[in-house]
Amino acid sequence: MPDSQNSRVAVYLDFDNIVISWYDRVHGRNSYGRDRQRIIETPEDPEIAERLTAATIDVGAIIDYAASFGTLVLTRAYADWSSPVNAVYRTQLVARAVDLVQLFPAAAYAKNGADIRLAVDAVEDMFRLPDLTHVVIVAGDSDYVPLAQRCRRLGRYVVGVGVAGSTAKSLAAACDEFEAYDSLPGVPRVARAAAKDAGSRAPSRSTASRAKAATAEEAPAEPAPRTRGTRGARKTPAKDAPEATVDAPADAAPAGTEADAAQVEASLNEALGPTAPAKRTNRRASSTTVASTAQPAEANPVAEEQPEDPQETATRLLERALRLGHDKDDDAEWLHSSAVKTHMRRMDPSFSEKALGYRSFNDFVKARESIAELEETGHERLVRLRE
C-alpha cells in the first residue's frame, strides 16, 4: 500500500445502498422493502421513526476510516436528498465537507440510478486528478465490480466498504482491501444488538392474529337473537344508548316481521335523538382543545440542538484515531504520537490541542489517561489505546 503520508484519497458513497443495507441488517432481511411505502409516505409515524433511528448510519465512522489512508481530496454521496430518509443526514454530511450529488426520484429509485453516475464520475476524476492514489467505494452492489477493476488497472488502490451480509462477494474480491461497515470503530454494535433483540421479541402479524383468534375462541360468546330488528340494535354501541332502548317495547309486533324492524329502529332513533347534540358539542370541544394545545407549540418552536462539548468531541476523535491505527497494523502495539495527531487532523482539520487549552499534543493525551497511554522514551513519544 502506498505511503499514507503522500496518499490522496477519493471517496464515493452510494448512500441509498448503504442506508437500505444497514436497515435490513438491523431489522432483518428485506425489512426496508416491506416498510418502504410507509417510510416514503409517513416517515413521522412513531413505529417507522423508531425503526429508522435504530438503523441510523454513522457517516463519521466511514469518513474517518477513509481518512486513515491519506488526505481526502474529494468525498461525494449520491442519493435523492429530498427524501426524508436521506434528508436527516444532510447536516452531518455537509459538516464533513461531503459533496451531495442529487439523484431525482425518477433516477434514484430506478435500477443503476446511482451506479452509473458514480462510476462515470470516478473514472473522470481518475483522469482529471492523476495524483489520486486511493479510491474508496462505499456500497455493496456487484454492479461496482467493473469500476473497481478499472481503478486497479489504472494504478489506484481500491478500498471497499459495505454492510456485512449485503455485500456481493465479487465486489469484495475486486478490491485491494475491503472492510465491513459493522466493524468500523464508532459503529454502535450494542445498539444494533438491542435493535435485533427488540425485533425478535416483537410478535409477527401472523402470530398476533393467531393469538387474537385463540382469545376469541376461548371467550364465551353471548347468545344473540337472530332477528332483523335486533341486528340493527347491535350495530349501535350500548354506551351511546340508554338501557331502555336495548329492549324492544312490550307491545312490539312478533319478532322477524318488517313491522318489528321498523318499530325497533324508530325507538332507537327516538332514544338517541337527545344525545346527538352532545356529540356535536364534543366535536367542537375537541377542535377547540386541539387548537389550544397546538398554540403553545407554535409559540415555543423546537429549540436548536445544543453544540457538543469540544473536549468530549476531541476525546472521541483521539479514541477513534487510535482504534483505526491499531486495526491497520495489528503488530504495532504503540503508535507514534505525531502519526496519531496527523490522523486526527485528517479526520477533523479543525482539531487543535492549543485551542483546547493544552501546550502540546502530549499534554492533551496525558489528560485522557482513561483511554490512552503515553510512553516517553528519549525523543520518541508513543501512544496506545488503553484496554
Side-chain angles (χ1 to χ4, degrees):
M1 185 177 68
D3 183 10
S4 62
Q5 295 294 330
N6 301 318
S7 300
R8 293 167 64 81
V9 185
V11 186
Y12 303 91
L13 297 96
D14 185 346
F15 209 76
D16 281 325
N17 183 291
I18 203 75
V19 166
I20 293 173
S21 298
W22 187 240
Y23 191 95
D24 289 345
R25 173 75 168 163
V26 172
H27 298 298
R29 191 176 183 84
N30 297 326
S31 295
Y32 191 90
R34 290 192 295 269
D35 296 342
R36 184 170 194 161
Q37 199 64 25
R38 298 171 63 192
I39 291 173
I40 295 173
E41 295 178 355
T42 58
E44 70 281 355
D45 179 82
E47 180 184 357
I48 291 298
E50 183 179 356
R51 290 171 70 83
L52 288 172
T53 301
T56 300
I57 293 291
D58 186 352
V59 179
I62 298 174
I63 297 177
D64 290 345
Y65 173 71
S68 67
F69 292 95
T71 303
L72 296 184
V73 177
L74 60 88
T75 308
R76 294 199 185 106
Y78 299 76
D80 175 19
W81 301 108
S82 64
S83 171
V85 181
N86 300 325
V88 296
Y89 293 98
R90 284 185 301 190
T91 302
Q92 185 182 167
L93 289 165
V94 171
R96 297 303 300 265
V98 178
D99 293 334
L100 306 184
V101 180
Q102 172 66 33
L103 299 178
F104 293 97
Y109 301 125
K111 180 172 175 54
N112 298 331
D115 306 18
I116 297 174
R117 178 71 181 274
L118 189 154
V120 169
D121 287 350
V123 173
E124 179 184 359
D125 291 335
M126 281 187 291
F127 285 100
R128 189 170 54 88
L129 304 171
D131 58 346
L132 202 62
T133 59
H134 290 64
V135 174
V136 180
I137 304 173
V138 185
D141 198 335
S142 60
D143 291 342
Y144 290 106
V145 170
L147 173 62
Q149 293 173 334
R150 179 57 58 89
C151 292
R152 295 179 68 181
R153 198 176 305 155
L154 293 173
R156 270 64 174 192
Y157 189 88
V158 181
V159 181
V161 179
V163 176
S166 300
T167 302
K169 292 182 179 179
S170 56
L171 176 59
C175 299
D176 291 294
E177 184 175 338
F178 189 89
E179 189 73 26
Y181 168 76
D182 317 40
S183 63
L184 296 181
V187 175
R189 294 178 181 80
V190 176
R192 181 174 71 250
K196 283 187 176 180
D197 294 340
S200 61
R201 289 195 299 269
S204 62
R205 291 189 176 183
S206 58
T207 305
S209 301
R210 288 195 297 269
K212 184 176 181 180
T215 305
E217 290 178 1
E218 294 175 1
E222 294 184 6
R226 304 183 62 83
T227 62
R228 296 182 182 179
T230 54
R231 185 164 58 232
R234 285 199 304 274
K235 290 182 181 178
T236 305
K239 63 180 181 180
D240 291 339
E243 280 188 13
T245 62
V246 177
D247 299 326
D251 56 348
T257 64
E258 295 295 336
D260 178 28
Q263 187 171 358
V264 173
E265 186 176 357
S267 301
L268 289 173
N269 291 337
E270 183 179 354
L272 292 173
T275 63
K279 289 185 179 180
R280 288 195 297 270
T281 304
N282 290 340
R283 283 197 294 270
R284 288 196 297 269
S286 300
S287 302
T288 306
T289 305
V290 171
S292 62
T293 305
Q295 187 173 1
E298 295 175 358
N300 299 314
V302 178
E304 295 183 358
E305 186 178 352
Q306 296 297 326
E308 289 185 316
D309 182 6
Q311 297 288 347
E312 293 181 4
T313 302
T315 301
R316 288 198 300 270
L317 189 67
L318 172 63
E319 182 178 5
R320 182 171 288 176
L322 290 173
R323 289 191 184 280
L324 286 170
H326 289 307
D327 290 346
K328 280 192 157 308
D329 191 353
D330 296 334
D331 297 331
E333 182 181 0
W334 294 87
L335 304 172
H336 287 278
S337 61
S338 58
V340 174
K341 179 179 177 180
T342 301
H343 190 185
M344 292 175 64
R345 291 295 300 272
R346 285 205 196 105
M347 293 191 293
D348 184 3
S350 65
F351 169 75
S352 171
E353 68 275 8
K354 292 181 172 57
L356 296 172
Y358 300 97
R359 295 179 56 188
S360 65
F361 183 73
N362 295 334
D363 292 338
F364 168 79
V365 176
K366 289 178 182 177
R368 284 149 180 82
E369 58 182 6
S370 60
I371 65 166
E373 185 177 352
L374 180 68
E375 183 180 85
E376 300 180 84
T377 56
H379 296 289
E380 279 192 331
R381 301 292 183 269
L382 302 177
V383 187
R384 70 175 177 181
L385 188 66
R386 191 184 294 274
E387 299 296 341

